[in-house]
Amino acid sequence: MKVLNIQRMSTEDGPGLRTTLFVKGCPLKCKWCHNPESIACESSIEWFFVRCMGCNTCFESCPTGALKQGQDGILWSEEKCTRCFKCEEVCPTGAIEVKGIDMSVDELFSELIKDKAFFGEDGGITLSGGEICIQYKEAAQLLEMLGTEEIHRALDTCGLCQWEHLNTLLPHTDLVLYDLKLYDLQEHIEWTGADNKLILENFEKLCHLREQGAKFELWVRTPIIPDATDSTENIKALAEVVRNRVDRWELCAFNNLCVDKYERLGSQWEFLDKPLMRESEMEFLLKIAESTGAKNVLYTGRTRMEE
Ligand code: SF4
Ligand code: SF4
């Protein structure tokens, strides 16, 4: 599998204390994306300003001239890079990191179960993205192996995948974390780069399976992004879709913790100047959702002080 990161002691990717596997590759390009380094399927290079001592060893070792000195630091050319990873190898300070390494299912299984003792009754392992369904064959094997250890398994998906791929994973999944961002098709295209037809269809199929007795839990997550997903109309429309068919609907308040990631990738984040949501704004959206009959709704994330 093409792995971005293994995050231990995670508390935001399902119930309890969890280990989350993040993989590379996503079919969406949300303008607010908090993991921009996960979008490309290929490995990428990240440069950390604070660790760099300016020795130039990386440029001199790069066989293709994919690295050069920019005004604000080292610039990486995705097109020229052949992914030989010499730059990471030679950097004396760890200022260059490769994002996206290949690991076998067996290697991942051994890594992930190391934390089993910390999971307790509620915790477990979450497979997340990018989009995990892109690597559904390997993900299915991994989930099945984790099942033999009786570990709680969650799947975090954006829903933009072939139903057959998602369905392959469901027999080995205890909880599906499903993202519903925007109801309006045009707005979905504008903010995420793709339409939401398949996402909504797959959601209906998941609900249908549960009505037929499938045992997996279903949580919906909606990122509340200022001026993008936070309108009354959007929450009302999504509430009509979610209704009382899920175990939990989480409205996730916008945060700006990803700014430095964009800087490291040499781009500027479109939401740089947006403030955090106010508690009263999140309460308001929560009430809107509940007023349409949606059940088990809550909001999560940091909010800013009321003025
Ligand atoms: S991975 Fe290889 S080709 Fe790419 S920037 Fe580093 S040294 Fe250059
Ligand atoms: S090798 Fe490492 S420390 Fe030296 S210039 Fe390159 S990134 Fe900076």
Side-chain angles (χ1 to χ4, degrees):
M1 298 183 83
K2 189 66 89 179
V3 173
L4 176 64
N5 186 23
I6 293 175
Q7 186 174 313
R8 303 185 190 278
M9 305 292 170
S10 164
T11 53
E12 290 171 2
D13 303 306
L17 209 51
R18 310 190 72 80
T19 294
T20 304
L21 168 68
F22 292 95
V23 297
K24 289 274 286 176
C26 183
L28 294 178
K29 275 195 180 148
C30 302
K31 289 185 179 170
W32 57 79
C33 181
H34 282 66
N35 290 315
E37 74 281 26
S38 73
I39 294 176
C41 292
E42 282 290 313
S43 304
S44 53
I45 300 290
E46 262 186 58
W47 173 71
F48 291 76
F49 163 73
V50 286
R51 298 184 206 152
C52 179
M53 61 180 194
C55 66
N56 294 349
T57 314
C58 53
F59 309 134
E60 287 155 13
S61 310
C62 176
T64 62
L67 295 174
K68 66 172 187 185
Q69 185 70 54
Q71 214 176 359
D72 299 317
I74 291 175
L75 298 176
W76 171 67
S77 161
E78 190 173 353
E79 295 72 39
K80 287 186 184 169
C81 180
T82 55
R83 276 84 181 170
C84 68
F85 306 135
K86 259 188 201 135
C87 50
E88 186 191 52
E89 205 180 296
V90 297
C91 176
T93 59
I96 288 196
E97 276 185 16
V98 173
K99 297 292 171 185
I101 56 162
D102 293 315
M103 289 180 79
S104 71
V105 171
D106 286 339
E107 283 171 329
L108 279 168
F109 174 72
S110 308
E111 268 309 306
L112 293 170
I113 59 163
K114 280 182 186 166
D115 304 325
K116 191 179 173 186
F118 302 106
F119 295 153
E121 296 216 337
D122 302 329
I125 288 170
T126 301
L127 304 196
S128 183
E131 173 49 52
I132 189 67
C133 291
I134 292 177
Q135 305 186 56
Y136 71 97
K137 284 186 191 152
E138 295 81 2
Q141 279 176 35
L142 183 56
L143 287 167
E144 194 172 358
M145 286 165 81
L146 293 170
T148 62
E149 293 286 321
E150 297 186 356
I151 292 172
H152 182 271
R153 300 154 298 174
L155 192 71
D156 179 9
T157 176
C158 74
L160 186 58
C161 57
Q162 287 184 37
W163 169 251
E164 293 71 28
H165 296 178
L166 177 56
N167 199 22
T168 307
L169 305 179
L170 296 177
H172 314 297
T173 300
D174 303 299
L175 165 66
V176 177
L177 304 168
Y178 202 85
D179 284 6
L180 289 176
K181 302 171 174 81
L182 284 155
Y183 181 75
D184 183 84
L185 184 135
Q186 285 307 327
E187 285 182 18
H188 203 279
I189 294 173
E190 183 193 335
W191 289 105
T192 73
D195 79 50
N196 56 3
K197 205 165 162 277
L198 188 56
I199 296 172
L200 293 172
E201 276 173 21
N202 285 340
F203 180 70
E204 289 302 320
K205 287 177 180 167
L206 284 175
C207 291
H208 181 69
L209 275 185
R210 278 163 45 92
E211 282 154 20
Q212 302 295 307
K215 291 279 180 276
F216 62 85
E217 267 190 87
L218 181 56
W219 293 12
V220 165
R221 300 201 291 187
T222 301
I224 302 298
I225 311 296
D227 303 327
T229 68
D230 66 340
S231 70
T232 305
E233 297 72 35
N234 185 44
I235 298 304
K236 261 190 190 162
L238 289 179
E240 295 293 338
V241 175
V242 175
R243 303 197 297 266
N244 57 1
R245 300 190 289 172
V246 301
D247 298 290
R248 171 167 156 143
W249 181 15
E250 201 175 312
L251 306 179
C252 310
F254 165 80
N255 72 61
N256 49 18
L257 300 174
C258 58
V259 175
D260 58 330
K261 290 186 183 179
Y262 281 84
E263 281 170 2
R264 287 200 294 273
L265 291 170
S267 56
Q268 213 189 35
W269 192 39
E270 200 171 317
F271 293 83
L272 196 61
D273 300 325
K274 297 284 181 200
L276 297 183
M277 302 293 294
R278 291 196 193 95
E279 194 177 328
S280 57
E281 291 169 324
M282 294 304 293
E283 290 282 359
F284 175 72
L285 294 176
L286 183 66
K287 293 237 159 55
I288 298 279
E290 287 174 336
S291 70
T292 58
K295 297 264 188 317
N296 309 321
V297 196
L298 74 164
Y299 69 84
T300 55
R302 271 193 320 130
T303 49
R304 77 183 147 114
M305 296 273 285
E306 301 287 337
E307 281 135 24

